[in-house]
Amino acid sequence: MIKDDLLYTRDHEWVRIDGDQAIVGITDHAQEQLGELTYVELPDVDKQVQAHDVLGVLESSKAASDVYAPVAGTVTEVNSKLEEVPDLINNDCYEDGWICKLEISDPAAGKSLLNAEEYEEYLRGLET
Amino acid sequence: MPFIANTSEQQEQMLGELGLTMEGLFADISPELRCKSFALPAGITEQQAREKLAEISLKNSTELIGFLGGGFYDHFIPAALDAITSRSEFYTAYTPYQPEMSQGTLQAIYEFQSVICRLTEMEAANASLYDGGTALYEAMMMALRITGRNKIIIDDSVNPIYRVMIDSYTRNLRIELHQTLNEGGLANRAGIYRLVDDETAAVIVQNPNFFGCIDDYSDIAEAVHKRGALLICSCYPISLGILKTPGAMGADIVTGEGQSLGMPVSFGGPYLGFMATRQKYIRKMPGRIVGQTVDTQGRRGFVLTLQAREQHIRRDKATSNICTNESLCALRALVYLTLLGKQGLQEVAQLCADKASYAYRRLTEIPGVNPRFHAKWFFNEFVVALPCEAVDVIGRLIEKGFAAGFPLSRYYDGMQNAMLIAITEKRSKQEIGMLAEALETVL
Amino acid sequence: MFIIYNQMGSGYLESVNPVILSKKIKTFGKIQMKLLYEKSVSGRRAVRPAPSDVPTSINLDSKLLREKEADLPELSELDIVRHFTELSRRNFGVDTNFYPLGSCTMKYNPKVCERIAAYPGFCYLHPLLPQLRMGGILTQGALQVIYETDLLLREITGMAAFTMQPLAGAHGELTGIMLMAAWHRDRGHKKTILLIPDSAHGTNPASGAIAGYEVRAVPSDKTGVMDVQALKEMVNDSVAGLMLTCPNTLGLFNPHIKEICDIIHGVDGLVYYDGANLNAITGKVRPGDIGFDIVHLNLHKTFGTPHGGGGPGAGPVGVVERLTAFLPVSIVVKRDDGTFALEYDRPKSIGYIAPFYGNFGIILRAYVYILMLGRAGLIRVAENAVLNANYIREKLKDHYDLPYPQLCKHECVFTAKRQAAGGVHAVDIAKALIDAGFHPPTIYFPTIVPESIMIEPTETESKETLDDFIATMIQIAQTAKTNPEKIKSAPLSTCVSRLDETMAAKKINVACVQKKE
């Protein structure tokens, strides 16, 4: 499942950009690959990241994955519900399962990201 | 050929089915890559091997009356321990990757983790590390991960063998390693407090320390925690039969050498590193961890858990590169502690302390033999100052049939005359008396 | 997002819905076993320490003492012996079952080695003894074993010298990479990158990273071995070296191995041989002859020492002449008078990586093994290990897909892709093998093969055992088509059925302790 109103990375994060604010999560494809999550390590609020820096870690019993920052910025808020209920990401990766919010440092940052159509195309490429 | 089942006829038959010769099986390796030499001796039979090795083993002397310790002790090992751990269902198994057919190993490790937690009064333990030294190094790396800082303070009353290992491991890393010099045989509090700051990841201490002295690190724990740093405590598990636990002192990571829990000294290994920590740090802990769960029928079972920390999943981002650990030694430690039980461990620890105390009095009565440190309390090991170089005295005592102790000059400046003496429950009052008499005659 | 899967997978199990846990559930005749603590009876005792022969004189300051005694279980000796005997019956070992766990070389562990390791002259020898004046002469036997094992391993690998100190394979890897770093530092090189193939054991990248290197993965080519062209493109002056297992984890010998070594040497890098799979080529190929600079061996794989359910192992590291100065202290040397001594004065050494001389008890077992097999025996080991693996490859190739169909060495890697399409995955096949009395192969590793099944029979298994295993694998492949549910419900013969790994990771319970208020 891919949402039209979001931007995506090739590492399977999604980002919703609104002015200088961004919300970050992982895609449905990503959560499916990981399986039922058992643990989420969230970034510290006020942490500054460059694009592709590690924002956090997701773990299931069979796999582990880093979450990378889709854009550069400063962490303003984290979804601390995930600490207690990591599988919120499995159940609703695009809404309740968001991971953190960033204040974007470069307003043009979103330009290098994929739109829904391009991400869907990218996923199709992975399958073959 | 020894240990190969298939007869030449069977080998030929199998090769026939493959349509290959034995040489053909290696056709993918071109001639210029082949061995330039393979000049090994011809094989020998079991009888020859046993005779040869029996002869070699006799070139080792185990007849000396031993007072050597330094973190590696000669404790009594009950017969049931060898009977249990020589069951080959345990020792010929691999790491328990298939939990349904490895419940024996897995439950034993869970029980090992449980006794380590109870012994140290900590909340979570791992399945084992190689030895006490690598365990301390891993604890240091764990503290760096937890705090995100890079400064470590270690007192020189920590086993010098571990300190030189940590030095080696950190040479290629960006870690600020500070050492404080002990104060009269105890950890140098003033020195530690001067160094602890907001960049400090951890302070490393040991109890009883290398000199055998006992301490209570509660005050250091408090001071360290105020700066957001961790306290790492290396400990001697037998001593925890009576001594205040690192957990009660407020330590964040506890490690130790488990050799004393049923492993013979074996010329340096295999030994057993153990590690325990607070529940909140469990995901930062290195090594295998066994956890309890249920099967599809709801029955209790055990699995390797939190594996996402480990090298086989996380590769270069793992908490450690450790794979094979010391599982069979952990089983030995578990069986040892179970055979002694609650009361037995306390009694062994008390015996060690009492005998050491007796030996200390007996030896320091000898003219010229004095206590080296002012520190009042020791466990089963203590340091005496001799009127001459300890290295010489120890050499002369070997000729008289004693491994009398360890010369501290090997690791400490200005301690030429200091000798470290260890006593376990295996040393009798009579042997201690004989050592005292021998020492008197060689001085 | 970058997902890394469990490679040495037990296989995973999505969360199950357990029926409510009753006190004693009896399913398939298997009863849940109590923990030691659940059997404990206050006041019950097993072994008693000897009575004291000295006055109890000390009264330690109470603030130095523990508040209450360590809460260990209280049982009789018989209780304890029964408990652990029952636990042992819930385990599989090489002595009980065929154990073709790929990459782990689970060969027979000769009993004579256990007997010899228990000789009092070896196991009661204190490691500090040779560090005392006059003490070295009392440990000549142990020093001889270490010295001669070193010589034997040199001849087997073609290296110039070994350190026996590393306490396991991964510890050897770390030691080897530390040697690499020390060599570069000594030559004034500033190199930061370590190359490792994508098919490598997880320990390789972990060891490289812990030693301070940035690790980069080199892809495999379509034949399953390292892609030489890709390697050429990745190599530059920042590359400190390359770690390689050969034959690799697919059981394939890289025909370009010499060229690969030359490429790395061309940028002043060092080539590291991960000896995990040396069993396949002992007596055929020596890493030292083909250009490798550093080698570690897993004594518990190649030389038949028991794995102990997860250790102890031993991982000696050998190096070429130009690296010998960097080996850890101490080294056993032989003096002109024929006696053995420890050498500590090694100014360029990387220092101490173990407390003493390595896992001596394991080194001793390997020494005995090598002496018994001798030159001809060790060559036969490689030949029969490879013969057995190819025999299985040949007999199963029509029933399971072979992603790399060429000649293999000590292990063959199948994929359960064909079966997975019908809903039966590698993990299900593994569990079905358990019910047939076999330890499963390694599954889901190497990760470059999806649904991989990695079979390493070893040289000590007979044709009869292999034939039984092959027949069972064929039977499972057939059942996968006709009755997949039967396979998915396996194992039924074990004391527990499939376990909920997700629950273990979520509701963490790693010790039986009273929770603090």
Side-chain angles (χ1 to χ4, degrees):
Chain A
M1 188 181 65
I2 297 171
K3 291 211 157 186
D4 288 342
D5 56 340
L6 301 175
L7 294 173
Y8 298 89
T9 69
R10 288 182 172 78
D11 299 319
H12 310 286
E13 288 92 13
W14 58 259
V15 56
R16 174 178 284 131
I17 296 181
D18 183 7
D20 63 351
Q21 297 294 313
I23 306 179
V24 179
I26 64 163
T27 66
D28 188 51
H29 170 81
Q31 71 78 20
E32 207 177 290
Q33 293 291 308
L34 275 164
E36 188 177 340
L37 290 176
T38 55
Y39 177 67
V40 178
E41 190 180 291
L42 297 166
D44 293 331
V45 171
D46 292 335
K47 179 182 175 159
Q48 294 187 7
V49 290
Q50 297 299 315
H52 306 298
D53 279 0
V54 174
L55 267 180
V57 182
L58 307 176
E59 290 180 11
S60 68
S61 67
K62 61 167 176 163
S65 169
D66 288 332
V67 180
Y68 299 110
V71 291
T74 306
V75 177
T76 55
E77 195 182 337
V78 297
N79 185 0
S80 47
K81 276 188 203 159
L82 295 175
E83 284 169 352
E84 292 299 314
V85 196
D87 49 0
L88 272 181
I89 291 177
N90 299 103
N91 299 335
D92 188 3
C93 65
Y94 293 114
E95 296 296 336
D96 289 352
W98 63 278
I99 293 170
C100 67
K101 295 183 182 173
L102 294 172
E103 191 178 283
I104 304 176
S105 42
D106 173 10
K111 284 187 181 141
S112 58
L113 299 170
L114 308 175
N115 64 27
E117 205 175 304
E118 289 163 337
Y119 181 62
E120 198 169 359
E121 183 68 36
Y122 172 67
L123 283 186
R124 263 201 300 276
L126 290 183
E127 275 164 27
T128 53
Chain B
M1 276 308 147
F3 318 122
I4 289 175
N6 286 333
T7 62
S8 316
E9 291 73 30
Q10 284 181 308
Q11 291 170 26
E12 287 307 320
Q13 190 192 340
M14 291 163 73
L15 286 166
E17 297 201 34
L18 291 170
L20 288 169
T21 60
M22 200 60 105
E23 190 43 45
L25 287 173
F26 295 88
D28 52 346
I29 308 177
S30 65
E32 75 268 15
L33 298 177
R34 298 303 182 91
C35 285
K36 293 201 169 70
S37 161
F38 200 64
L40 292 169
I44 56 176
T45 62
E46 172 171 344
Q47 188 183 336
Q48 288 169 307
R50 281 170 61 176
E51 285 164 3
K52 180 180 167 81
L53 271 295
E55 198 182 303
I56 293 176
S57 81
L58 292 175
K59 296 185 200 166
N60 297 326
S61 170
T62 50
E63 307 300 307
L64 298 181
I65 301 174
F67 295 90
L68 269 178
F72 311 91
Y73 304 98
D74 175 29
H75 288 283
F76 178 74
I77 299 175
L81 199 162
D82 285 319
I84 289 167
T85 54
S86 60
R87 287 195 66 98
S88 64
E89 296 90 337
F90 288 127
Y91 81 75
T92 70
Y94 204 75
T95 302
Y97 291 134
Q98 294 290 339
E100 298 90 343
M101 62 199 320
S102 313
Q103 284 300 301
T105 296
L106 287 162
Q107 181 171 334
I109 295 173
Y110 176 85
E111 293 182 327
F112 168 76
Q113 292 170 181
S114 301
V115 294
I116 291 297
C117 287
R118 290 179 179 221
L119 205 53
T120 56
E121 295 189 306
M122 298 297 284
E123 293 159 358
N126 72 11
S128 75
L129 297 163
Y130 306 129
D131 81 300
T134 51
L136 196 58
Y137 150 73
E138 291 277 16
M140 182 195 78
M141 299 298 281
M142 179 176 160
L144 299 172
R145 280 194 298 279
I146 291 171
T147 60
R149 302 173 177 183
N150 75 340
K151 178 173 168 182
I152 299 285
I153 301 162
I154 185 165
D155 192 77
D156 80 342
S157 60
V158 172
N159 195 325
I161 297 171
Y162 298 170
R163 286 187 286 115
V164 293
M165 285 169 69
I166 285 176
D167 272 342
S168 306
Y169 285 120
T170 52
R171 274 183 207 177
N172 212 33
L173 308 178
R174 262 174 277 149
I175 293 171
E176 213 185 301
L177 203 56
H178 295 266
Q179 187 163 282
T180 50
L181 304 180
N182 74 89
E183 271 283 320
L186 293 177
N188 182 344
R189 285 171 168 70
I192 290 170
Y193 296 155
R194 252 198 312 279
L195 284 165
V196 176
D197 58 19
D198 296 343
E199 299 302 310
T200 306
V203 170
I204 304 178
V205 292
Q206 178 177 322
N207 195 47
N209 67 27
F210 187 67
F211 312 121
C213 299
I214 309 172
D215 209 335
D216 173 9
Y217 295 123
S218 305
D219 51 347
I220 298 183
E222 205 184 315
V224 163
H225 290 156
K226 270 189 191 147
R227 294 302 196 123
L230 306 183
L231 181 68
I232 298 172
C233 184
S234 177
C235 62
Y236 170 21
I238 294 283
S239 77
L240 293 176
I242 55 173
L243 294 189
K244 183 165 183 174
T245 64
M249 294 177 196
D252 301 282
I253 310 172
V254 179
T255 64
E257 173 53 66
Q259 174 272 326
S260 56
L261 304 174
M263 263 58 70
V265 284
S266 279
F267 205 56
Y271 288 168
L272 165 69
F274 64 86
M275 176 184 277
T277 188
R278 305 282 171 200
Q279 190 78 29
K280 63 181 170 182
Y281 298 137
I282 191 168
R283 287 175 192 276
K284 303 286 182 191
M285 185 156 61
R288 311 237 183 249
I289 301 175
V290 171
Q292 186 178 306
T293 187
V294 294
D295 74 357
T296 52
Q297 309 291 315
R299 288 171 295 192
R300 176 169 64 199
F302 301 91
V303 292
L304 293 173
T305 193
L306 303 177
Q307 295 189 73
R309 301 164 297 111
E310 293 187 69
Q311 46 78 25
H312 61 281
I313 294 185
R314 198 60 75 77
R315 298 178 81 87
D316 56 326
K317 291 184 172 170
T319 51
S320 166
N321 70 332
I322 193 166
C323 180
T324 287
N325 50 37
E326 305 289 314
S327 204
L328 194 69
C329 301
L331 176 70
R332 288 188 75 93
L334 170 66
V335 176
Y336 176 84
L337 286 169
T338 309
L339 284 167
L340 282 184
K342 190 185 260 189
Q343 206 177 330
L345 182 70
Q346 193 180 21
E347 287 172 5
V348 167
Q350 192 64 49
L351 269 174
C352 291
D354 287 344
K355 291 192 179 205
S357 174
Y358 173 77
Y360 176 81
R361 268 187 294 124
R362 184 76 181 77
L363 294 175
T364 53
E365 278 166 14
I366 300 169
V369 178
N370 295 305
R372 176 63 178 75
F373 296 118
H374 302 302
K376 192 172 171 193
W377 305 113
F378 55 87
F379 178 60
N380 75 324
E381 210 164 8
F382 55 87
V383 181
V384 292
L386 303 171
C388 50
E389 289 204 6
V391 169
D392 297 330
V393 174
I394 291 165
R396 290 198 288 271
L397 284 169
I398 282 181
E399 290 174 340
K400 292 191 170 293
F402 296 90
F406 189 71
L408 288 187
S409 58
R410 198 175 145 69
Y411 290 106
Y412 295 89
D413 291 336
M415 292 212 196
Q416 270 64 25
N417 295 1
M419 175 164 75
L420 179 68
I421 298 168
I423 318 280
T424 68
E425 77 282 11
K426 281 175 78 173
R427 297 287 79 81
S428 67
K429 184 180 173 187
Q430 190 191 5
E431 288 171 330
I432 294 166
M434 287 159 64
L435 173 68
E437 283 163 26
L439 177 59
E440 201 159 358
T441 62
V442 301
L443 288 179
Chain C
M1 272 277 315
F2 178 65
I3 304 181
I4 310 169
Y5 287 99
N6 190 349
Q7 297 166 0
M8 303 299 273
S10 58
Y12 52 86
L13 174 65
E14 300 298 342
S15 203
V16 293
N17 293 313
V19 297
I20 301 302
L21 193 65
S22 72
K23 269 191 179 158
K24 237 185 202 180
I25 293 175
K26 214 172 172 183
T27 319
F28 314 123
K30 305 285 178 180
I31 300 168
Q32 180 172 304
M33 206 179 141
K34 283 183 176 175
L35 295 171
L36 284 166
Y37 281 110
E38 294 163 350
K39 296 175 177 174
S40 181
V41 176
S42 180
R44 187 172 284 173
R45 303 196 59 179
V47 173
R48 285 162 202 269
S52 181
D53 56 359
V54 298
T56 305
S57 54
I58 52 160
N59 281 306
L60 288 169
D61 183 349
S62 67
K63 84 175 182 102
L64 299 174
L65 299 178
R66 65 186 297 155
E67 280 173 19
K68 60 179 187 58
E69 65 268 85
D71 199 5
L72 299 175
E74 297 174 278
L75 298 162
S76 72
E77 189 165 320
L78 176 57
D79 291 337
I80 295 165
V81 169
R82 268 199 195 136
H83 179 83
F84 287 102
T85 302
E86 176 58 25
L87 280 184
S88 76
R89 291 165 65 184
R90 294 173 176 235
N91 244 26
F92 281 50
V94 175
D95 281 8
T96 62
N97 300 74
F98 180 42
Y99 216 117
L101 191 63
S103 221
C104 301
T105 316
M106 292 297 278
K107 63 170 78 176
Y108 174 65
N109 313 128
K111 300 302 163 195
V112 54
C113 301
E114 299 308 303
R115 173 68 72 94
I116 288 170
Y119 286 174
F122 293 125
C123 68
Y124 296 122
L125 198 61
H126 198 287
L128 285 173
L129 205 51
Q131 300 185 22
L132 307 180
R133 184 176 297 172
M134 309 298 294
I137 205 70
L138 304 176
T139 59
Q140 286 296 301
L143 296 178
Q144 181 185 344
V145 168
I146 294 173
Y147 181 82
E148 291 185 356
T149 308
D150 180 353
L151 293 189
L152 292 166
L153 296 183
R154 288 181 200 184
E155 184 60 21
I156 289 168
T157 58
M159 306 309 282
F162 269 81
T163 171
M164 294 295 151
Q165 290 191 25
L167 302 168
H171 198 219
E173 292 175 23
L174 178 58
T175 305
I177 302 303
M178 285 164 67
L179 288 164
M180 187 184 281
W183 185 76
H184 284 307
R185 200 163 43 229
D186 186 60
R187 300 188 32 133
H189 294 163
K190 301 243 184 303
K191 288 167 176 284
T192 52
I193 295 168
L194 186 65
L195 300 178
I196 294 175
D198 58 1
S199 62
H201 299 112
T203 49
N204 287 181
S207 300
I210 281 162
Y213 284 107
E214 181 194 329
V215 173
R216 292 197 186 157
V218 186
S220 305
D221 67 17
K222 59 182 190 303
T223 66
V225 296
M226 177 179 279
D227 186 332
V228 178
Q229 195 51 43
L231 176 69
K232 280 182 184 162
E233 285 160 21
M234 293 177 77
V235 162
N236 58 44
D237 284 341
S238 296
V239 170
L242 167 76
M243 284 180 104
L244 202 67
T245 310
C246 184
N248 68 9
T249 57
L250 292 165
L252 304 177
F253 190 90
N254 192 323
H256 318 296
I257 192 74
K258 204 159 183 125
E259 190 186 350
I260 289 171
C261 291
D262 291 344
I263 292 169
I264 299 300
H265 288 150
V267 292
D268 262 340
L270 296 175
V271 199
Y272 182 104
Y273 182 85
D274 177 331
N277 296 341
L278 185 74
N279 203 51
I281 54 168
T282 318
K284 300 288 178 185
V285 177
R286 303 193 310 169
D289 291 340
I290 51 179
F292 285 94
D293 303 290
I294 308 170
V295 169
H296 93 258
L297 305 177
N298 301 72
L299 297 187
H300 53 280
K301 292 182 181 175
T302 316
F303 302 109
T305 72
H307 195 258
V317 169
V319 293
V320 291
E321 192 63 47
R322 60 185 169 149
L323 290 169
T324 53
F326 302 96
L327 288 174
V329 278
S330 56
I331 294 279
V332 180
V333 294
K334 192 173 185 177
R335 295 203 198 95
D336 292 341
D337 64 0
T339 59
F340 301 94
L342 291 164
E343 188 187 280
Y344 287 92
D345 186 21
R346 304 178 54 78
K348 286 194 171 183
S349 166
I350 59 166
Y352 292 76
I353 56 110
F356 297 106
Y357 327 107
N359 271 343
F360 177 75
I362 304 300
I363 295 163
L364 174 61
R365 286 171 173 87
Y367 174 68
V368 174
Y369 176 91
I370 295 169
L371 288 183
M372 284 185 71
L373 268 74
R375 182 180 187 279
L378 287 172
I379 294 172
R380 292 278 178 273
V381 163
E383 289 177 348
N384 283 277
V386 173
L387 174 59
N388 284 358
N390 278 286
Y391 184 72
I392 289 178
R393 180 182 61 84
E394 178 69 21
K395 294 276 183 175
L396 288 181
K397 72 177 184 193
D398 295 335
H399 307 274
Y400 296 88
D401 293 334
L402 258 182
Y404 305 100
Q406 68 265 45
L407 194 65
C408 66
K409 293 273 84 64
H410 60 300
E411 62 198 2
C412 52
V413 179
F414 290 93
T415 168
K417 251 178 159 170
R418 201 192 307 176
Q419 288 75 21
V424 171
H425 294 268
V427 60
D428 303 314
I429 295 164
K431 303 303 182 192
L433 277 167
I434 296 176
D435 279 339
F438 296 106
H439 193 287
T442 296
I443 49 176
Y444 300 110
F445 181 78
T447 40
I448 58 172
V449 175
E451 296 286 342
S452 59
I453 301 177
M454 183 193 207
I455 305 170
E456 181 179 12
T458 84
E459 73 280 2
T460 56
E461 297 297 335
S462 68
K463 180 173 178 296
E464 294 78 17
T465 302
L466 302 183
D467 285 337
D468 285 348
F469 175 76
I470 289 161
T472 303
M473 284 292 283
I474 294 171
Q475 180 66 49
I476 290 171
Q478 279 158 359
T479 312
K481 284 185 248 173
T482 56
N483 188 3
E485 284 315 307
K486 186 176 173 202
I487 292 178
K488 291 175 79 70
S489 63
L492 300 175
S493 60
T494 46
C495 61
V496 291
S497 57
R498 293 195 202 186
L499 292 148
D500 186 344
E501 296 185 6
T502 300
M503 177 177 149
K506 275 175 126 173
K507 296 185 181 157
I508 297 173
N509 173 351
V510 300
C512 172
V513 288
Q514 280 92 28
K515 295 279 181 286
K516 288 204 181 90
E517 293 307 314

